[in-house]
Amino acid sequence: MKNKVECWKTQWHLLVSLFLLTQFSILASARWDPGNRQELTSSPPVRLHYIRRHGHHVVMDNGIVNVTLSIPNGMVTGIQYNGIRNLLANNNKESRGYWDIVWSGNGTSGGMQDKLEGTTFKVIEQNENHVELSFSRTWNNDSGLPLNTDRRYIMLRGSPGFYSYGIFERLKGWPDVHIGQARIAFKLQKKYFHYMALSDDRQKFMANDDDRNRGRVLDYQEAIHLTNPANPALKGEVDDKYQFSCNNEDNRVHGWISSNPHVGFWVISPSDEFRSGGPVKQELTSHAGPTSLAMFFSGHYVGDMSLDLQTGEPWKKVFGPIFIYLNSASHNEDHRTLWADAKEQMMIETKSWPYDFPLSKDFPRADQRGTVTGRLLVHDRYISRAQINASSAYVGLAPPGEKGSWEKDVKGYQFWTRTNDEGSFIIRGIRAGTYNLFAWVPGFIGDYRYDFEVTVTQGSKIDLGNMVFEPPRNGPTLWEIGVPDRSAAEFFIPDPRPSVMTHLFLDRNNSEKFRQYGLWERYTDLHPNEDLVYVVGTSDYKNDWFFAHVHRRVNDTYEPTTWRIFFSLPNIVPTGSYTLRLALASANIARLQVWMNSVYPTRAHFGTGLIGRDNAIARHGIHGLYWLYDVNIPSYQLINGVNTLYLRQWGPPSPFVGAISPVACMRIAQLYIFRTGKEKMKEFARSQKRSVKEYCIVSTSI
């Protein structure tokens, strides 16, 4: 009798499993679309279950995926999907899936991590189609974080995943607080997830935490030389989470794939409105662990970006929603097809923004938002008398401020787009509020800010018409190095040392070579005794201009370096002055000094002072925070013939101190050239034995 019962139980379990697999296959065949949820009645309803074993938990279950959260803390302790009981790691339940911030305040030192554990649990919505849960915490005037937090989790009928967003608020009169980072983190099962993907050409089998623990720490703790990984193909490579950073504009979907069974775990960010730093701000994505992150803001690649709330200052912001998307494939399919599927889902989520299902009154829906359109033109008389279409320009709305203030803004929302070939743009889904419109144009130096503030109201459609950006100019360009795109990607990027290379970034048309570990040491290898020399008109910046101005290693320390630029001026304008323009794509504890035709110990003609803390050199970045300087050079400091410009980088003895990349262009000042009109310009061009056209090229820099 016992054997018959056991046999019946086995058959029943097999039938249930077959039913669930069949049901899942039917559901998976239809693409999930959060903006079109009318045909979901064939899907199982969303249910809530409560578990009091091993603590108090609530489970959201829609028949495709179920998610377990602790009550009232709001930690994601389990994600069950496609036969895997828990996709999350088997470590501390409070460290599997969680929100966290790093903060400091009055009377505290350093950064303290706070996982924002909730004290109040509430069901916001519960029906067959929609469940929304709230895990909140209210500041009670104690010594803790002076911030009210409300973290929400949403599950919808038919959805192969779940959504999360948070409302952060502080009230008027509360004490100072400094918040350096905010994110959501998920730590996955290392026995399943070995393959990571964040773009078509940035995906690979990865090390895990055990491999890293057996490896050798390099110049900083995040960079590990893999000496004995479980996967022999990874032996000798470097694993470093910063190698997988991504610009906000490209950071839409990333995650992990399990090879057996074929399951994907993806973080989809359908909008940048709640992120900080603009479209090219770099943030972490997924990295070894396996770990996946949804970064909202941090100081990475910027340095001094943080949320600083002063005494008495009220503030509120909604972060998210982001979507945790799960997918699967049969064993007969290539597991990498899950990446293609995740990209398709990302496009659907992006088109559905702003979502219509979050129930917080602080998240406005589409009909509560506005639209701004316009056209950006460029007027640079040294290129064309006519205005030029600002094609592919970055145009965005951000909180009011000076030109470039959006790069470090954290408090407000930002809305960015790119112009088309005619310079036209449209920005949709803008929250009601007052903004400045900012822009910058690849190919031109400088920042643009529209003259007037833009006030967006619910349902408004604002056309700003034609706007004209005039790049900063002092006169025609005499010589130039580089491309004005705020990146050092066009300069010489060396091959890594063979002992610490990562194969993913080899032979990729050099587009990702800068992500290799230890490139700062290659400057010493290439210039062991003498520093870089660049001859205008002869040298090629693609091969002769090192992408970062760093220190040289000498024995066990690092020494300042001085680069020299040689350029010819056949005839100096005695009554004029010249302008040297320096543009930096990044700076980290850098001090850049300039001498013209003489060098220390004489006093430098110009110095930046101590600038930057973005650490982009160590974090394999090709850009960080943008810096732009104009250096006035009186004609008496120049000579007829060959001149020498000295660029000296010095600072604390560290391999990571420097700038990416110091680029120079020189112009004759407008004061002399144009007060006397076009004929005087022709006369000057003849005196320099060049044509007028040669002086009408675009100024270039980082």
Side-chain angles (χ1 to χ4, degrees), residues 11 29 57 103 376 417 451 534 566 624 630:
Q11 292 176 352
S29 63
H57 294 78
W103 73 283
L376 184 64
T417 190
D451 290 336
Y534 190 93
F566 294 104
D630 279 358

Side-chain angles (χ1 to χ4, degrees), residues 195 197-203 253 336 339-340 343 504 508:
Y195 192 86
L198 58 137
S199 71
D200 288 341
D201 54 4
R202 294 175 69 191
Q203 46 185 276
V253 56
R336 286 170 294 190
W339 164 250
K343 286 196 302 179
L504 175 66
R508 313 193 68 82

